Amino acid sequence: MLLLIWLHEWDSSLPGEDQAVLTAPAIIAKKITARAFSEEDGELQYHLIADNLVQYVHNPLTEMQQPELEMANDKGSWTIVSEQGVVQENGDLIVFSGDVRARNQQQKITLDTQELRFLSETNIASSPGDVDIEFESGRTRAGALEADLDKGILTLEKGVKSEFDAPAS
């Protein structure tokens, strides 16, 4: 009987294992595809693919390698690719980092930056750092950006500089 009580009370973890359990991934996946849908109307909000994905139990985030996000609305479709990505807040926030490139082929716009944050519930993308934007008739450089993708409103800040190609006459 004493042996049973002792075995029941014995903590089987070794010193230092608690930290390993807290930081260990719950899921490691390769070549993943995910889709998010609006709760209001069931419309597709975004389609996300990545080479590698790591999701943790005790930390509510998902890390990705080589993510690619596609989303569309009446302003056209956007594709965002980067070296790394992190999904937070139950999929409502996706942070792209490394060499980030966003493209809208219908509007012929390409955006390059080192970090781009996408809020899926509001369809707002922002970059806290330098942004280079190329469009059909020129280019713009800014120190920060916020874009409402549904309304087509782009707000640029911090040393905005634009160059336009004048039409030939």
Side-chain angles (χ1 to χ4, degrees), residues 81-102:
V81 296
S82 68
E83 294 174 2
Q84 295 93 26
V86 176
V87 180
Q88 300 172 329
E89 300 174 19
N90 294 323
D92 292 339
L93 172 64
I94 304 172
V95 180
F96 299 91
S97 60
D99 290 327
V100 182
R101 175 165 276 199

Side-chain angles (χ1 to χ4, degrees), residues 2 32 36 62 77 93 111 119 128 162:
L2 272 170
I32 64 101
T62 302
S77 65
L93 172 64
L111 179 143
L119 294 166
S162 293

Side-chain angles (χ1 to χ4, degrees), residues 10 16-17 27 31 36 41 50 58-59 66 91 98-99 109 126 129 132 135-136 140 142 151 157 159:
W10 181 42
E17 278 189 339
I27 298 171
K31 304 292 183 195
D41 56 13
H58 299 287
N59 190 353
Q66 305 298 321
D99 290 327
I109 299 172
S126 63
D132 289 309
F135 43 94
E136 194 169 20
T140 297
K151 295 178 182 173
E157 299 176 343

Side-chain angles (χ1 to χ4, degrees), residues 19-26 55-58:
Q19 186 61 28
V21 168
L22 292 175
T23 59
Q55 187 170 10
Y56 298 91
V57 173
H58 299 287

Side-chain angles (χ1 to χ4, degrees), residues 24-32 51-56 63:
I27 298 171
I28 299 174
K30 296 194 181 292
K31 304 292 183 195
I32 64 101
D51 283 353
N52 297 313
L53 173 137
V54 178
Q55 187 170 10
Y56 298 91
E63 297 173 342

